[in-house]
Amino acid sequence: MGLSSIDPEHCFDLAETLHSGQAFQWLPHRHEGIDGFAACIGELGPIWLAQPSARQVLLRETDEALARTYLGLDHDMPAIQRTFPADDFMTSALDFSPGLRILRQPLWECLATFITSSLKQVAHISAISLELRRRFGERRDFDGQPFFTYPSPAALADAGEEALRDCALGYRAKSLHRAAVAAVDGTFPLVDLETRQSREDHERLRQALLELHGVGEKIANCVLLFSGGYWETFPIDVWIERILRTVYRKRLKGARLQEWANQYFGVNAGYAQQYLFHFARKTL
DNA sequence: CTCCAGGTGCCGA
DNA sequence: TCGGCACATGGA
């Protein structure tokens, strides 16, 4: 199978993007003698991605369309970054990883992994995600190595809460199982919610997410940002809250802090948030 | 051992 | 509406 090369056009960093706490499945993988990363995306793949130089992303020809969407290679980064505030910390965060992109992940995979993320470190979210894939996902071999799709709602619903608990999920097992059941019985209409046509879709998806047990403001916002592509959405986790308190001197809480952040960081506040989060986590 | 991690639901004031 | 607390698990 032939390889394709994509020129990202704007500044793009594959490794930073795949390991910035948005997606949790990417593993180092050498393909045809080239070091890169491989994983399944939702029910697709595995796909392999490499970036031997700044203006060159390598992948298999058949994966090109999927990769462009997933990696956000069509994002107009200069235009997006011009909407960020120009304060010192924001500037430092941009300088630290100028090639960071917001991914566009499948809804179920993104929702399910973030349900398992509450009060967990990124490394452990990855471990949990991998275990769920290995136990309940579909095996797909690539270069003689096994990869696994993210388990479908049906697979997790059938597995049962106790089996999920065995994957070190703790109290999150109930939330994940109930979400899987909701997706299967249509209470949470995955396919409808994943299509994005009108302006109302944002609020529709947000409301549906918040009705799920175990999904609050933070997780709903992560899904809106990392799957829905709603870049104005600004998730506030412990890292971001710490930054807003210590760097930006904000003593506000909850909805008031959220309101301030959305106002201050602008129309692409969520995109800005990812630079802040990554910078803080890697340097503080 | 203690503290913390990309939080949420529920309780009482 | 708002603060306090329980909830599982593993790494630092």
Side-chain angles (χ1 to χ4, degrees):
Chain A
M1 191 181 300
L3 293 186
S4 257
S5 177
I6 300 177
D7 179 349
E9 187 179 1
H10 301 306
C11 187
F12 172 71
D13 191 318
L14 178 68
E16 295 279 323
T17 298
L18 295 182
H19 299 117
S20 60
Q22 307 176 59
F24 305 90
Q25 70 260 50
W26 293 93
L27 299 171
H29 184 89
R30 179 183 282 260
H31 177 65
E32 296 190 4
I34 305 167
D35 286 323
F37 308 94
C40 290
I41 300 174
E43 315 262 340
L44 303 173
I47 80 168
W48 171 82
L49 301 165
Q51 187 176 30
S53 66
R55 304 289 302 256
Q56 195 182 26
V57 173
L58 292 181
L59 69 175
R60 293 181 292 169
E61 282 173 10
T62 48
D63 298 331
E64 194 172 325
L66 172 63
R68 281 184 184 278
T69 302
Y70 181 80
L71 296 174
L73 294 180
D74 59 328
H75 300 177
D76 186 344
M77 299 316 294
I80 292 168
Q81 293 176 1
R82 273 196 296 275
T83 68
F84 297 169
D87 64 73
D88 288 349
F89 193 80
M90 188 74 244
T91 303
S92 299
L94 271 172
D95 288 346
F96 179 74
S97 56
L100 197 58
R101 300 281 173 108
I102 297 284
L103 298 171
R104 188 72 186 268
Q105 302 181 61
L107 178 55
W108 172 245
E109 176 174 302
C110 185
L111 168 60
T113 54
F114 275 97
I115 284 176
T116 66
S117 78
S118 95
L119 280 185
K120 279 289 171 198
Q121 297 183 101
V122 169
H124 199 206
I125 301 168
S126 299
I128 288 172
S129 178
L130 181 62
E131 185 62 15
L132 287 169
R133 286 169 182 272
R134 291 205 309 206
R135 288 216 207 178
F136 307 114
E138 184 184 322
R139 177 173 172 162
R140 308 259 178 86
D141 286 344
F142 174 57
D143 288 341
Q145 291 184 29
F147 288 84
F148 298 86
T149 62
Y150 195 87
S152 66
L156 294 183
D158 291 347
E161 184 183 327
E162 285 313 306
L164 299 185
R165 208 168 265 270
D166 282 343
C167 300
L169 276 176
Y171 64 85
R172 305 158 195 80
K174 179 195 284 286
S175 302
L176 180 59
H177 185 251
R178 287 176 62 169
V181 170
V184 169
D185 71 21
T187 310
F188 185 83
L190 267 180
V191 178
D192 289 349
L193 292 170
E194 194 151 28
T195 60
R196 177 176 169 175
Q197 299 151 344
S198 66
R199 197 164 296 276
E200 304 150 8
D201 290 334
H202 183 169
E203 194 54 29
R204 226 174 92 250
L205 176 54
R206 180 183 147 74
Q207 289 304 329
L209 288 166
L210 290 174
E211 280 173 22
L212 294 172
H213 181 268
V215 177
E217 286 288 334
K218 154 62 172 64
I219 291 175
N221 284 343
C222 283
V223 176
L224 288 165
L225 180 60
F226 301 136
S227 175
Y230 297 105
W231 298 337
E232 65 270 43
T233 315
F234 189 94
I236 299 179
D237 73 318
V238 290
W239 288 92
I240 293 295
E241 188 162 14
R242 188 178 303 143
I243 292 169
L244 297 182
R245 191 176 62 245
T246 62
V247 178
Y248 292 93
R249 303 284 169 194
K250 290 296 147 189
R251 288 287 184 272
L252 305 170
K253 292 193 163 186
R256 317 201 100 22
L257 184 61
Q258 185 79 62
E259 195 179 341
W260 178 84
N262 277 292
Q263 181 76 24
Y264 180 76
F265 291 99
V267 293
N268 298 305
Y271 223 117
Q273 173 275 164
Q274 192 59 16
Y275 287 92
L276 300 176
F277 174 80
H278 188 60
F279 178 55
R281 214 167 62 81
K282 295 298 181 183
T283 63
L284 268 46

